[in-house]
Amino acid sequence: MNANAFWHFLTLQLFKERSKHLSVIVISAMILFLLSSVLFISSSIRFSLEETLKVQPDFVVSRVQGGISVPTPMIWEDELIDIYGVSNVIQRVYGRYFFKAKERSFLIVGVDFLEEQSHENLQKLIAKTDIKAFLNGSKMLVGEGVKTYLDAHFYKDDYNFLTPEGTFEKVNIFKTLPFQSNLIANDMMVMPIDLARKILGYSEEEVSDITFNVPNPDEWDMMTDKVSALHYDLQVVNKKDVQKSYENLYNYKGGLFLILFLVVLSTFTLILYQRYSMVYSSERRNIGLLRALGWSINDVLKFKFTETLVIVFASYILGVFFAYVYVFVLGAPLLKEVFLGGQNLQNTLTFVPVLDFSVLTSIFLIYALPFIAAVLIPVWRVSVTEPKEAML
Amino acid sequence: MIKPFVAFAVLLVILLFSMSLHYGLFPYSKATKTMQEMTALTHMTHLSLSVGYDESVYNSTYPEMTALGRMDFVYER
Amino acid sequence: MNEVLLSNQIIVFLLSESTLFILLLVAFVVSLKVLVKWDFESFMPFQFALERQAYLVSTIILFVFVMKFILVVYFIFSIDALSLLLPGAMCGAGVIKANVYGSYLLVLKLSILFLLTLWFYIHYYDMRTKNHQWFKHKSWLFSLIFVFIVLELGLDFSYFSNIDTHLPVSCCSALFGQLEGANPLPFGLSVSLLLVLFYLLYILVILSLKSGYTLLYILTNILFVYIAYYAVVYFFGTYVYQLPTHKCPFCMLQAEYAYVGYLLWASLFMGTYIGLSDAISTLWLGKTDPKSKNIVVWLLSLFVLLCTAYVAVYYLRNGVLL
């Protein structure tokens, strides 16, 4: 059969029967939209975190008592420096500050600005920062979410922290952190380390935890053993564990969604099976005519199959496109709260677009395969129509 | 192929094209660099989850990450 | 719940495999019925009904045929992605070896693809005869494939549900690399002999294919795949990674090496599948397809050229061999 004539007839038929196909396309596109949005968000967050983890220190050491993190003594830092192969030992002070009146919390992160490296990092992050002005008096950098929240509550320039001693600590808002970092810095308040200690109630000899790097990854396992042998209440976490826990977290969210989605999918498949059985039985006469005109069973099968493929691909493209716009252009309103939560601060982030083989194939497989599988039998049933049916 | 179908196909191609255009033009290096600089400054990759204060109790693998792997969106607490 | 079973790719993979299985089950039942009652000489309406049902079987298998190829690629991709979750795994090799089922599953998947290709060839010839001469051949073949697929589905589930994410697995360098002086190559070959054999076999494959010594061709091609696997892992792979100690068939499937492994292995296996299917149908049905011979030559040459090119480019760039 002439390919052009085939396509001409196929498309003519598709458009003539468009009302039948339109509803299928719309429902498919909606299901695909939901599915793709979830997978897009989770893969985008995973991508961003993986990129960011690259620069994170390799190991984190903290003190754990009874399964709860407690302040880590600063002396441990000196013990770590003495181990051969360990570099960049850095203390971290951070913790959540609870804004009781409104049941909101912020993450306070202390940075040692007396270090040269921190200056450089700050300069890189926020161009044209006057370090001297920043270090002069109590000042902090706040994430976008924090800034919006404080603005709305009339803390335009400064905020009064209540320290555990019962005193007030007035800290000026110096600048807002760039919005591209919203995924990790939305609820952050970055301030000099001593100020953070005071607000969070750490003593001079205490830190939240200590990080260090081990440049040779082959030594990581050995180093974990060595460091955990230092103290009985010491917990070491390396970057691979963190990576794994993030991976698990999003597998868990996406996986649970997918498992629930299976219910929708099987219903959809059943509906498709029913619908196509009905639609095609009303087409028996047409097919009978085609058969009488000399089409073979294979021709009809090919015809119906191509028709299905056109519908599958059209709805695939539509669904993925709308999901793409929804997630990466509009920032996935509502749905992102499943992944990031929505009880605390409003996070207006832009997801970094990620379209890889794995996501696109997953979407295709989970949708197209059941779709075609459901339609196969009705397609066959109508394709083997006898020519004599044309006369009925 | 009949004209309306060609128009429809062209529309789909335009959708694909605009999607890949947005994908291609997205400032990846800017976005990832900012986050990496943020991490370099604070030494932590803290995912900014917007969860209630009492939920952020403890995560066994990574103490500074707020616990999100809870089942209470499936089971009522 | 097992963390592996929550991985998105694994869920999609298992779902797809199960859906295909249900379809195949329908096809298998119909096919058995058709096979038992088939009598092409008969003019009873029942025989016509059977012939119509045969169309259902072949449509389903053709669909499964296409999907299985996509799914194998997807399987390998998911395995690679799982390496993040398993302690010690750097690539798919460690994940495959995470339990006993892995390597059997992979081999089984590859054999099923081969059988499906063979089925496709027989089906192709069968559809071109007026009396469905080879209908019984292809139905028996499908029954065999179905048995394999049942096995495969069982292995799929037992493999993925038995991966322990807390148990450290071996990394590829431990699996393929230093074996404490023991020679990992078959027949006690050295690497230089392996290479000589690799190129010789390639030439032999092409020659026997062109000259029509079908039996010889089948033998040499099977041997070629076997030798090529070792040649890639122990010699060509090191040039892909540009590291003399890195010996792994899986790492080259990762993004760092521009996914070249997919092209490499696909050209080798597709070439072999097509070649062997054509050869077997020559012996079995007496039908050959001259076009597939050309495709085989192209694919296998692409494979050999790609391997050689990595070595050549490395040599031209650095002036030394690894």
Side-chain angles (χ1 to χ4, degrees), chain A residues 268-269 272-273 276 280 304-313 364-380, chain C residues 19-20 23 56 59-60 62-64 66-67 70:
Chain A
F268 176 63
T269 322
L272 275 179
Y273 180 81
Y276 273 94
Y280 285 152
K304 282 287 157 198
F305 220 73
T306 325
E307 197 181 83
T308 314
L309 280 184
V310 168
I311 290 167
V312 166
F313 276 107
F364 186 76
L365 280 179
I366 205 172
Y367 154 74
L369 204 143
F371 189 110
I372 299 174
V375 177
L376 252 176
I377 293 173
V379 161
W380 162 77
Chain C
T19 318
L20 287 185
L23 267 185
L56 176 65
T59 315
I60 289 178
L62 282 177
F63 173 60
V64 170
V66 176
M67 282 301 161
I70 301 176

Side-chain angles (χ1 to χ4, degrees), chain A residues 52 56 92 187 246 252 340 353, chain B residues 28 43 48 50 62 64 71:
Chain A
T52 320
Q56 213 227 4
R92 299 198 296 196
D187 59 349
Y246 278 140
Y252 175 73
L340 295 174
Chain B
Y28 282 93
H43 312 294
S48 217
S50 177
Y62 199 44
E64 75 212 28
M71 296 291 280

